[in-house]
Amino acid sequence: MYNTNNLITTITGNMKKYRGKAGMTQCKMADGLAMHEHTYQQMESNGKGLESIVRLFEITNILQISIYDLLDGSIKPDDGSDAPCEVIVSHIKEESKSLSPKECSELSIYFAQRVHDTL
């Protein structure tokens, strides 16, 4: 079984980390995502609003980081073993239709590398 809380915790932690490295405020991030500052604060503190893979790519574009940086270390099931990429892919199949070719390619490379690392 895969624990999505691990994924959310990793993503929100990396959002804070890379926002700090970029010298950006939560207000500046909120502006970049066209949302109210309080909404962004909720997203960064508890993951509310991170359900969209498109939103994750918007965040990586603003912070000028890769999706790899944002998801780093987060794809693990509850039992501690390496999670198959299909677990994550199943969550994004519908939304991937709205990704650009570059975003789809980057995401595909990320998951291919994760599969290779588990072999």
Side-chain angles (χ1 to χ4, degrees), residues 69-82:
D69 296 322
L70 201 59
L71 297 176
D72 180 50
S74 62
I75 303 181
K76 294 234 181 252
D78 294 333
D79 65 6
S81 63
D82 289 322

Side-chain angles (χ1 to χ4, degrees), residues 16-91:
K16 292 173 194 171
K17 172 181 156 182
Y18 288 106
R19 181 178 55 78
K21 283 185 173 186
M24 295 182 76
T25 64
Q26 288 181 329
C27 183
K28 182 91 171 165
M29 283 296 297
D31 288 345
L33 295 168
M35 63 175 55
H36 190 275
E37 183 178 2
H38 178 73
T39 303
Y40 180 80
Q41 290 168 344
Q42 290 285 314
M43 183 184 299
E44 192 177 88
S45 69
N46 63 24
K48 183 178 180 184
L50 286 177
E51 298 83 12
S52 168
I53 191 72
V54 173
R55 177 65 73 197
L56 296 179
F57 275 102
E58 290 171 345
I59 291 167
T60 62
N61 287 336
I62 291 169
L63 294 175
Q64 297 182 344
I65 60 174
S66 73
I67 195 71
Y68 314 115
D69 296 322
L70 201 59
L71 297 176
D72 180 50
S74 62
I75 303 181
K76 294 234 181 252
D78 294 333
D79 65 6
S81 63
D82 289 322
C85 291
E86 293 81 26
V87 172
I88 302 299
V89 171
S90 68
H91 292 286

